[in-house]
Amino acid sequence: MGIFQWIKKKEKISLQQAALQKNQEDVLQDMKLGEFHSVEELLSHRDIGSMEKENNQGDKDSIVQRTEEFQVDSVNEEAFYDYSQEQCCEFVEEACMQMKQVSERIEETKRELQIVNSYMSDVQLIQNMPSPNKEIIEELAQRVVMLERDRDAYSDYESDVTDTLYEQMSSMEKNISKILSQMDEEEKLCMKVKKDLNLLEGEKRILKIEKQDMQHRLSLMSGILRGLVISIIALGLLFVAFKMVSQDTYSLIMLGLMTGVMAGIVVVYTLTRNTQENIKLNELKMNKAIVTMNHIKIKYVNAINHLDYQYRKYKVKNAYELSQMWNKYVVAKKKKENFRRTNTELYSAREDLIASLGVLKLYDTGVWEEQAGAILNKEEQVELLSNLEIRRFSLKEAIDFDLEAMEKMKSDVMKLTIIKKEYAQMILAMVDKIGSSSQQSVH
């Protein structure tokens, strides 16, 4: 089989998937599709309706203009007359290899064109869905869209609950009520104990002040008592002296004074004894207050130590902070559960949608499970068809460009065989050899 027959056969091959080569990619860059390098990406783009509205005819004109700008020129056949055998071989070998590459690009472009046509057909089938399939599919698509929005809302939720904190709260879930209740009770106990300590401390200070006052009074009365004793002794001596000199009047006066001083001594002594008893009673009260305070201090220290341990264990400053952390965990847990539930429902809804689309015999139903919104939006469907039409036009232009280029290369080789008749058999043998080699590499 010759190279020309091999090329002709390859032009008729039709497969389902392939990628465009460099010259098609260059053309696609002029289609203003930007980041869309494949039909799948175009279909999977979520916001199709927000794409810039393009003038189809203007895009087609720019594609045609670019193709015409790089048209392949025929070689100068006059130069063939001066070709040596070696130059003829080099020219034929180069031409055959170029035709092989161009033929492969044509096949790849045809495969891509078939994909584009299939997707266009899918969009048209979606647009023209018959009842009752239309109502069922649109209802399922609406459910998918709503679930996607819910899922996105849950996934966009920014929680300040770290993974470590989440795991910690999760491990406390069974005992959190008891932990919070116990911590709250211990905090209230500490506050009450501290208040009692302050009251006892105040009572202790009062007792101390009372004792100091009574001690001061006791010291004062002791001085008065000593003065009265000295006075009674002096009066007694004067009474004896006046009695010896027979001064009865003065003796009576001294006797009266001694009686008054004795009465003062009795009163002061009685007050002194009462004050001493009160000091003893004060000391008893002070000891009782100290014992009570010591008991409360031990209770307070134990409670505060346990609280401090709980604070360090749960990394909080108080029960309120732990309660706030727990509330945030509950919210985060609910969001996660809703996200998982919505994901499960979304998966099921997409499965139902794909199953319902199966009756339309689409080329690729899988694309629409991620693009349920496009099923409901007629504008997106029109925009999608418009962009696919531009892509199809560019592919056809690329095929025509390559076919024309290959015809010119064929013509150049044929011209060489006519001009260089002495090498015609050799040239045809080379063409057959390269064609056979290319055919084997394809198979």
Side-chain angles (χ1 to χ4, degrees):
M1 181 185 295
I3 185 68
F4 303 129
Q5 290 79 6
W6 172 75
I7 291 171
K8 187 174 181 181
K9 182 178 179 181
K10 279 185 62 64
E11 289 173 355
K12 296 181 180 179
I13 298 175
S14 176
L15 302 173
Q16 293 184 345
Q17 294 181 340
L20 292 175
Q21 293 294 327
K22 179 63 178 177
N23 63 323
Q24 279 76 46
E25 293 175 353
D26 292 339
V27 175
L28 290 177
Q29 290 177 359
D30 291 332
M31 292 167 55
K32 299 182 180 179
L33 296 181
E35 68 272 18
F36 302 108
H37 297 302
S38 70
V39 177
E40 289 82 357
E41 288 182 31
L42 180 62
L43 283 170
S44 64
H45 183 57
R46 181 165 294 278
D47 194 10
I48 303 176
S50 66
M51 291 170 58
E52 179 183 356
K53 298 297 184 180
E54 299 176 341
N55 185 309
N56 287 3
Q57 189 57 45
D59 290 332
K60 291 179 179 179
D61 291 343
S62 66
I63 294 170
V64 172
Q65 182 180 358
R66 180 184 181 103
T67 304
E68 292 176 349
E69 183 180 352
F70 294 96
Q71 284 292 331
V72 176
D73 297 325
S74 297
V75 297
N76 183 8
E77 60 185 79
E78 295 297 327
F80 287 160
Y81 290 98
D82 298 327
Y83 270 26
S84 65
Q85 181 178 355
E86 182 180 356
Q87 289 174 321
C88 288
C89 291
E90 290 178 357
F91 177 81
V92 172
E93 183 177 359
E94 179 66 24
C96 288
M97 295 306 298
Q98 288 183 7
M99 283 188 285
K100 173 191 171 186
Q101 293 173 0
V102 170
S103 178
E104 290 173 350
R105 286 201 299 269
I106 289 173
E107 292 306 315
E108 291 167 356
T109 307
K110 285 182 178 180
R111 290 193 290 269
E112 185 69 18
L113 179 61
Q114 184 176 354
I115 293 174
V116 172
N117 287 332
S118 297
Y119 279 120
M120 291 185 71
S121 176
D122 284 358
V123 176
Q124 290 167 348
L125 287 171
I126 293 293
Q127 287 180 320
N128 302 312
M129 288 186 293
S131 296
N133 293 334
K134 180 178 180 180
E135 289 76 13
I136 295 173
I137 290 173
E138 287 184 349
E139 182 180 351
L140 290 171
Q142 183 64 43
R143 174 166 172 74
V144 170
V145 170
M146 293 177 62
L147 287 171
E148 285 177 343
R149 289 174 183 170
D150 291 343
R151 181 200 60 182
D152 293 341
Y154 292 135
S155 63
D156 292 339
Y157 170 73
E158 294 184 0
S159 173
D160 54 359
V161 179
T162 63
D163 293 340
T164 303
L165 179 58
Y166 190 91
E167 292 300 324
Q168 178 184 345
M169 292 291 104
S170 179
S171 65
M172 296 165 55
E173 192 164 354
K174 294 181 179 179
N175 302 317
I176 187 65
S177 298
K178 181 179 179 181
I179 294 171
L180 284 172
S181 176
Q182 183 179 1
M183 189 177 292
D184 184 62
E185 289 178 1
E186 288 181 345
E187 286 180 346
K188 290 178 180 178
L189 176 62
C190 286
M191 292 176 63
K192 182 179 181 302
V193 168
K194 196 168 185 180
K195 183 178 180 181
D196 291 344
L197 280 174
N198 290 334
L199 291 174
L200 287 172
E201 188 65 35
E203 183 180 346
K204 183 180 174 182
R205 284 196 295 269
I206 291 172
L207 289 173
K208 187 176 181 180
I209 292 172
E210 288 178 351
K211 182 180 179 181
Q212 290 174 348
D213 181 60
M214 287 186 292
Q215 286 176 337
H216 176 70
R217 279 186 286 143
L218 183 61
S219 177
L220 181 62
M221 286 186 291
S222 296
I224 293 172
L225 187 60
R226 284 194 297 270
L228 289 174
V229 170
I230 293 172
S231 297
I232 195 68
I233 292 173
L235 289 172
L237 293 174
L238 288 173
F239 174 77
V240 172
F242 285 130
K243 196 72 174 172
M244 291 177 66
V245 294
S246 300
Q247 293 289 334
D248 295 334
T249 302
Y250 287 110
S251 297
L252 291 173
I253 292 173
M254 291 299 106
L255 184 61
L257 290 174
M258 287 174 64
T259 304
V261 172
M262 286 295 295
I265 289 173
V266 172
V267 170
V268 171
Y269 178 78
T270 302
L271 291 174
T272 300
R273 291 293 300 173
N274 289 337
T275 302
Q276 289 175 339
E277 291 296 328
N278 288 334
I279 288 175
K280 290 180 179 180
L281 182 61
N282 178 280
E283 289 176 346
L284 290 174
K285 289 181 178 180
M286 180 70 76
N287 287 338
K288 184 178 180 180
I290 291 173
V291 170
T292 304
M293 284 183 68
N294 289 338
H295 174 72
I296 293 176
K297 283 179 180 178
I298 293 172
K299 191 175 182 180
Y300 175 78
V301 170
N302 288 332
I304 202 68
N305 284 341
H306 186 261
L307 268 180
D308 184 66
Y309 172 77
Q310 296 292 319
Y311 293 159
R312 293 179 184 277
K313 179 179 179 180
Y314 302 121
K315 299 177 182 178
V316 294
K317 295 179 180 179
N318 47 52
Y320 175 78
E321 185 177 349
L322 181 60
S323 176
Q324 291 297 103
M325 288 169 54
W326 171 251
N327 291 334
K328 290 179 180 179
Y329 163 76
V330 171
V331 174
K333 181 183 177 182
K334 185 177 180 181
K335 293 290 184 182
K336 283 191 175 185
E337 289 175 348
N338 288 337
F339 180 78
R340 286 194 291 266
R341 174 179 52 79
T342 303
N343 255 348
T344 301
E345 293 178 2
L346 178 59
Y347 177 81
S348 177
R350 284 176 172 173
E351 289 290 310
D352 293 341
L353 177 61
I354 294 303
S356 65
L357 288 173
V359 300
L360 300 179
K361 306 298 182 183
L362 300 179
Y363 167 74
D364 186 1
T365 57
V367 169
W368 298 97
E369 71 173 303
E370 293 288 344
Q371 279 302 301
I375 297 176
L376 304 171
N377 193 320
K378 302 302 181 183
E379 292 182 0
E380 287 188 15
Q381 295 171 10
V382 172
E383 182 70 18
L384 182 56
L385 278 175
S386 175
N387 287 315
L388 287 171
E389 172 59 31
I390 297 171
R391 183 177 285 269
R392 180 170 66 175
F393 179 80
S394 71
L395 294 173
K396 289 182 177 180
E397 282 294 308
I399 292 173
D400 292 341
F401 174 84
D402 283 339
L403 286 173
E404 183 179 350
M406 192 159 57
E407 287 300 323
K408 288 182 179 180
M409 286 185 283
K410 288 180 184 179
S411 176
D412 290 340
V413 173
M414 293 304 297
K415 289 177 183 178
L416 180 62
T417 59
I418 294 172
I419 293 173
K420 289 292 186 178
K421 294 180 180 179
E422 64 272 24
Y423 302 137
Q425 292 298 325
M426 179 195 69
I427 291 173
L428 293 175
M430 286 183 62
V431 169
D432 288 339
K433 182 179 179 181
I434 295 174
S436 300
S437 175
S438 300
Q439 189 175 13
Q440 290 175 1
S441 64
V442 170
H443 294 292

